[in-house]
Amino acid sequence: MELAKQLFDLGEAIHGGSVESKILEILGELFPDHKSIPVNTKFWDVRFSRLLVNGQNIPSVVMPYTSGCVKGRVGREVGLFPMPSHPFELKNLPLSLYEGAIIREEGKLRRITLPQGSPPTFFVSRNIDGYVELCSDTRLVEARSRNLEVTLREGDSYILLGAHVDHWLSGFHDNILSVQLLVNIKKDLERSNLKHGVKLVFFSSEEGPRCCTGSSQFPEKDVFAMISLDAIYPSRVVFSGTPDLWFLSRHFPVKRVEMPTPFSDHYPFVQKGIPGLVLYNDDMTTVYHSDADVPNSLDSQYLEVLRKSLVDAVRELDSTPSDKLDEEFFRHARLAGYTGDTREGALIPDPSTLTTKFKRI
């Protein structure tokens, strides 16, 4: 866990920024034979932010991609909203009814992306009332980053295991702990007698105005399957993947098995027709993208469970022929009404479930 602590101490790693770059530099030193793959991204540059309530400066964070200055009273010019039960429900708040907005949750601060065009919005950790002055100067700036690829075993095709390195606020479980797990699993995979090659990939810019900026620019040629680690949190996993990989869920302490979510680094591969899955845990909803996403006493034990589970899953995946995976994929596809003959483009986002569904053609 030494690496995780070192990365945690660096602070918030905004996509395309200096902390993200530092994390990749540290990983590069751990894996001197790595390959860097350039990524075009955008850095969210916070030049200034301040929230005054009745003339007093209070702890706050500006919400991603909102900018501007507003003065007025709470409930009149400035809307005040409690944090919804799920972060994705923020998009349903009537923010546009106000010149500025404040979202509150007792005891923590968060950064969560709001719908495009939202007014200047801040997050606070306590209730407020009265006269408010909020001001932020933020902008998205074109930037260059990189994915860091580590080949553990050569092969004609590869099983990729990936984790993104950027994170909002403290980010310990989303996604520093996943980075630690990839490092921990290296020796196990090098010792395994596998048919396929194996690569670890540390992705940049998964968070941001568009998900998965780093992984969408990773070359998918010769990829047999993609396993992403994202927001792992003691002590279960949501196994979110293409149906041909669901059989691998038996190796993990599973909360549920679901279709692929479009909100993680496996998804660009799934769109290209490559078997893909992400392991995450929405039990961490209460600390998601917050300054409360910090280490806890169960992390080391949980990491060891996942390490063993991943090794077993990779071994079984490696021994499964691609035609058997295709057969299982299209069995589910036909049951769902998909009549196409290619995996690429067969799955589309399903807003009602926050996962994906088969296209009906």
Side-chain angles (χ1 to χ4, degrees):
M1 297 289 284
E2 291 183 10
L3 174 65
K5 183 180 185 307
Q6 181 184 9
L7 302 186
F8 181 71
D9 289 344
L10 292 176
E12 186 174 33
I14 297 174
H15 44 87
S18 60
V19 177
E20 179 186 76
S21 179
K22 180 61 177 178
I23 292 173
L24 291 166
E25 179 184 319
I26 292 169
L27 291 169
E29 292 171 356
L30 282 177
F31 301 103
D33 295 331
H34 71 274
K35 177 181 178 181
S36 287
I37 299 173
V39 168
N40 294 315
T41 186
K42 292 180 184 291
F43 170 60
W44 183 50
D45 185 13
V46 182
R47 303 186 176 192
F48 173 82
S49 71
R50 185 178 67 181
L51 176 61
L52 299 177
V53 178
N54 301 318
Q56 181 182 1
N57 195 351
I58 69 166
S60 63
V61 296
V62 60
M63 295 294 265
Y65 322 123
T66 70
S67 189
C69 298
V70 175
K71 297 180 180 181
R73 298 198 68 83
V74 171
R76 193 174 64 189
E77 292 84 5
V78 178
L80 177 65
F81 302 92
M83 176 67 192
S85 60
H86 193 285
F88 289 173
E89 293 175 5
L90 281 172
K91 66 179 183 296
N92 300 324
L93 297 178
L95 303 179
S96 61
L97 297 179
Y98 299 91
E99 297 175 30
I102 297 172
I103 300 165
R104 63 170 177 83
E105 184 175 16
E106 193 68 31
K108 65 172 69 76
L109 298 172
R110 302 205 198 214
R111 289 201 209 271
I112 301 170
T113 304
L114 299 174
Q116 187 173 3
S118 295
T121 304
F122 281 71
F123 205 102
V124 298
S125 58
R126 61 178 176 83
N127 196 30
I128 62 171
D129 193 19
Y131 187 76
V132 171
E133 301 174 59
L134 59 85
C135 191
S136 65
D137 179 7
T138 79
R139 61 199 70 189
L140 283 168
V141 181
E142 297 288 342
R144 295 278 283 174
S145 188
R146 60 190 173 117
N147 296 322
L148 195 148
E149 173 189 288
V150 180
T151 301
L152 303 185
R153 298 177 59 87
E154 295 286 356
D156 295 329
S157 62
Y158 290 88
I159 298 172
L160 303 186
L161 293 95
H164 68 88
V165 303
D166 57 316
H167 56 262
W168 293 118
L169 296 176
S170 52
F172 189 79
H173 297 92
D174 183 13
N175 201 33
I176 291 171
L177 199 61
S178 297
V179 172
Q180 179 73 69
L181 179 53
L182 280 194
V183 173
N184 289 2
I185 204 172
K186 172 182 180 287
K187 291 182 179 178
D188 296 288
L189 296 177
E190 286 176 328
R191 289 193 294 258
S192 297
N193 185 22
L194 304 176
K195 300 174 184 177
H196 295 88
V198 180
K199 293 181 179 181
L200 307 181
V201 187
F202 300 93
F203 293 115
S204 75
S205 305
E206 190 264 0
E207 310 284 9
R210 187 173 68 86
C211 175
C212 317
T213 297
S215 58
S216 66
Q217 297 177 50
F218 187 87
E220 71 276 358
K221 185 177 182 293
D222 299 329
V223 177
F224 175 70
M226 165 61 187
I227 300 174
S228 177
L229 307 174
D230 191 357
I232 57 175
Y233 188 77
S235 58
R236 305 184 289 181
V237 297
V238 175
F239 189 100
S240 183
T242 49
D244 49 323
L245 299 183
W246 287 354
F247 71 102
L248 298 175
S249 65
R250 61 173 169 256
H251 296 290
F252 299 92
V254 170
K255 179 180 181 180
R256 68 176 182 275
V257 176
E258 66 181 21
M259 292 288 279
T261 168
F263 304 114
S264 193
D265 282 314
H266 69 305
Y267 192 59
F269 297 89
V270 170
Q271 289 179 303
K272 295 291 186 180
I274 296 168
L277 68 93
V278 60
L279 302 175
Y280 74 98
N281 188 357
D282 54 6
D283 287 349
M284 71 168 294
T285 296
T286 56
V287 300
Y288 173 79
H289 283 197
S290 80
D291 59 359
D293 182 8
V294 298
N296 70 50
S297 60
L298 298 176
D299 289 331
S300 294
Q301 180 181 352
Y302 178 57
L303 215 60
E304 183 62 12
V305 169
L306 285 192
R307 183 188 65 80
K308 293 177 180 177
S309 297
L310 263 178
V311 171
D312 291 341
V314 168
R315 287 172 176 162
E316 184 169 13
L317 174 60
D318 176 73
S319 65
T320 306
S322 58
D323 57 354
K324 185 175 180 180
L325 295 179
D326 287 342
E327 179 183 341
E328 182 67 2
F329 181 87
F330 283 104
R331 183 179 73 82
H332 283 272
R334 298 294 179 252
L335 290 173
Y338 177 70
T339 58
D341 57 2
T342 62
R343 294 177 63 121
E344 184 171 356
L347 292 171
I348 58 175
D350 182 1
S352 66
T353 63
L354 299 178
T355 61
T356 52
K357 59 184 177 181
F358 282 100
K359 188 186 300 181
R360 296 184 69 87
I361 60 170

